[in-house]
Amino acid sequence: MDFLELSDRIIDSAGSHKQISAAATNRRQAPTDFSIIYSKDLLPASGGEKVTKEFLHELLNILLGYICKSSRRSGKVLDFHHPHQLKEGLEGFSLQLTDKPETLEQILVDCRDTLKYGVNTGHPRFFNQLSSGLDLIGLAGEWLTSTANSNMFTYEVSPVFILMEEVLLKKMQGIVGWSDDEGDGIFCPGGTISNLYSILVARYYFYPEVKTRGMRALPQLAIFTSEHSHYSVKKSAAVLGMGSENVLMVKCDESGKMIPVELESSIVAAEERGLVPFYVNATAGTTVYGAFDPFNDIADICHGHNLWMHVDAAWGGGLLMSDRHRMKLQGIERAWSVTWNPHKMMGVPLQCSVILIKKRGLLQDCNELGAEYLFQRDKPYDVSYDTGDKSIQCGRHVDVFKFWLMWKAKVFWYQSSRGNFTCGELVVMFASPLPQPEHSNVCFWYIPPTMRGLPPGPDRDTRLHQVAPRIKHRMMEQGSVLIGYQPLGDKVNFFRCVFSNPATQQEDVDFLLDEITRLGNDL
Amino acid sequence: MDFLELSDRIIDSAGSHKQISAAATNRRQAPTDFSIIYSKDLLPASGGEKVTKEFLHELLNILLGYICKSSRRSGKVLDFHHPHQLKEGLEGFSLQLTDKPETLEQILVDCRDTLKYGVNTGHPRFFNQLSSGLDLIGLAGEWLTSTANSNMFTYEVSPVFILMEEVLLKKMQGIVGWSDDEGDGIFCPGGTISNLYSILVARYYFYPEVKTRGMRALPQLAIFTSEHSHYSVKKSAAVLGMGSENVLMVKCDESGKMIPVELESSIVAAEERGLVPFYVNATAGTTVYGAFDPFNDIADICHGHNLWMHVDAAWGGGLLMSDRHRMKLQGIERAWSVTWNPHKMMGVPLQCSVILIKKRGLLQDCNELGAEYLFQRDKPYDVSYDTGDKSIQCGRHVDVFKFWLMWKAKVFWYQSSRGNFTCGELVVMFASPLPQPEHSNVCFWYIPPTMRGLPPGPDRDTRLHQVAPRIKHRMMEQGSVLIGYQPLGDKVNFFRCVFSNPATQQEDVDFLLDEITRLGNDL
């Protein structure tokens, strides 16, 4: 016990602040000198309000500068450096941690440098991932979320956020097409975890004993998903102890859609090998082509075999908001679970992903353990709102508020997704895509002039395989635009251009196509 | 294809902005009228810079108001309402979503209301969870992170954050006591997922075939953890398909520490039952008592039986930063994996959790699937920095920057944790704790005057069990202070006071104790 130490600390921190606020008062209107101020002078230090306000205002100026620059086409998408260059330190920007506290001035400089050497994912010419753009309402939501600094485990600590989650889950269940008396769900850290939940809950639905006894008490289960589906299905099967080789990949047609008769025959073949089929993942918007599986046909097959049908609509779910495009998801309402990432097509800041489960109560039964330090039953409110035991996490980040705020601020995703599609159609005019896009991904090869006369075949493929990486390399060095590429099946490396950024306009599409031509012309 | 639609949209959005900026120019210096402005007028709308700046400045004022109020003792910790009250709407605050976009004025009002009806986790009198306080450098880091809006899967999109993760992981591995040529790890969404990783990787280490073939190819494995350990061990075993009943709970002594001879005999008994022990979880800072298991004794046993030793230091890891307290974790360096949550004792905003794995490469081998749209091998940089395939997630939130920034800004956790301990010692003076605290959790009963003469036994226990919930109920209604309670083993409901908030001072401890007395005096 050392009261003196405690008192010293209080006096010390108050004392050091007094010097600063006296200095600040003497220099009224003069800019604050952050080079003599440290983090210990900020709140909760006694009298730290003024310095706190000045520090966060200065930070806001830095962030606003970045936001405004991001939206200007004159700025770069990225300022590329190799890992060893950044690690060695560039123009005084050191990633290394020292043993003495830095001043707030240095902290602000570090913030500027971190943004400077990062990738500008909100830039109108960032086409690299399914998530892009910077929605300012979503950003405001995220800033508030981190200021509230709470946790989703109980109503007790997050009353507003827990109820917002309920409101949004119900809304999304309705949009999927489920009736008012069905539907459950939870916000998760990303689409892979959402897909993992779907398999976890499906397994529990058919074999509730798995929770206590494990996979060894079960027959050898089999999972079905298309060869174009996201790798998270296989990854989840490995994590869940089901084995990645028990995920059977169903053939797709040329456009990337699962072929229903192939699913049917895969199921029969698996049964003949002694496996027990129980779960089918269908995809709404595949990662590379953006294809939509035929949900009604798949639902018929699942119904016939009594299999759990999941729809991974991480990418395609956003189209449910569009009168024009939602028919692509026809039959999704027959799924028993749905993954939907508002951080993709709906532009919510990272991350925001939802797993929806049709049958109410399953999620809770599957995961609850009733830890008594958190989920006491003798609390003074309706403890059914302590939803944290539905989760495979304990602490859970608040991902719901930014989404709720965006939903309030805008009911115009329909229009913006139409804009994205129109941009996609511009690329289609330029390049003959593989295949004709259903979503706003457009996949295409750039064929340099010297290769245009070559006959299709292995020689041409070998050369073509190197074109996209080489153009991408040049793009990264120049920092003018960013687009992804990959091979798929028997197709050598091709570009995948993703339109999900509302900042992207026709001129950016033109720029991208010109830039590819310029950078790849000599290959 | 509809170029007209696209052009209309561009003109439309520019047109609507022009009206606003003309209006704003005419009223130079006048406050912006957010009641006529919508989210569509913000960037990336052409000419949206000014409105964007004004909107985010106004948001900053709201957040600053909240931050300053939070640090004042005169403000409430919470303004409690039941779920049905909040759902019905309070003073115009409606959680419901409408079908027309709200103005920015309404969005700002919603932000104010969301904070008003939430719980003030940064308040000096919030003692409810292991995570509390609001670190302003961490907050600045989180605001920047959401502005950068990137993703941890590849170096390509997050060069700076990926390298910061490497720097911090190395630093933490060194502090745990591992040599330079060992150690790997990853930032995860919470301590439960970190603990899940430890079991997942341990299972893969002994039985790599589990990844492809699943649990049915393995013998019946057994996991050992103490009866005071966190429920995440059991939850993870259920998720991983190992079965919660194969998690064997080892007895603790009165202070909550695992008893080594009990571990030894549990292992032998499990083997006799045909189970195959492979993994032991030891805890550094148990959730309720804050106890530290005897790591060296446990390491000896693990060594003798060739078992994976994990240390769940989610809560206790922060003490490694303290010269005075780190001896409580002696032997942690012998663990093969460690969970450490900087969002707990180190005060990093939620969430920030790390799993450290001693053997390099295991995490990658265990989880990688090599998706070619993301982890291309023909990229123009050292692709070993594309660390995302180590993860069980695909997209992964950037949790590292706020922590990196805090580390730069302060090297004074030692002092602050000493402060927290001193506060804990004040409670110990007041109440005879169960047990003597090792960490900054203090667990105690409040015995109302009418019960002080009762002999120990079931009657007294029945009454005592209701005291903490009833006091907590009154506390929540008054909103003056927040503290948790729970039963544990044969102990009826008792309070758990957690000191992890640097804002807490001696007067807050006095207040808490007075308040418990005041609210519980008549029970």
Side-chain angles (χ1 to χ4, degrees), chain A residues 71-85:
Chain A
S71 68
R72 284 181 212 136
R73 288 174 173 79
S74 54
K76 279 186 169 188
V77 177
L78 76 162
D79 184 8
F80 179 75
H81 295 87
H82 285 281
H84 70 88
Q85 294 173 311

Side-chain angles (χ1 to χ4, degrees), chain A residues 91-154:
Chain A
E91 298 169 15
F93 179 40
S94 169
L95 298 173
Q96 296 310 313
L97 302 166
T98 55
D99 286 336
K100 66 165 192 51
E102 303 282 3
T103 64
L104 293 191
E105 178 162 282
Q106 182 59 43
I107 292 301
L108 292 166
V109 167
D110 284 334
C111 287
R112 271 191 209 95
D113 285 341
T114 298
L115 292 170
K116 176 171 155 56
Y117 294 107
V119 174
N120 196 335
T121 61
H123 194 287
R125 294 172 183 170
F126 176 82
F127 301 97
N128 208 65
Q129 317 289 151
L130 299 181
S131 306
S132 62
L134 180 62
D135 186 276
L136 287 157
I137 302 291
L139 184 67
E142 202 65 334
W143 288 5
L144 184 144
T145 298
S146 43
T147 309
N149 195 30
S150 199
N151 208 317
M152 291 297 281
F153 28 57
T154 59

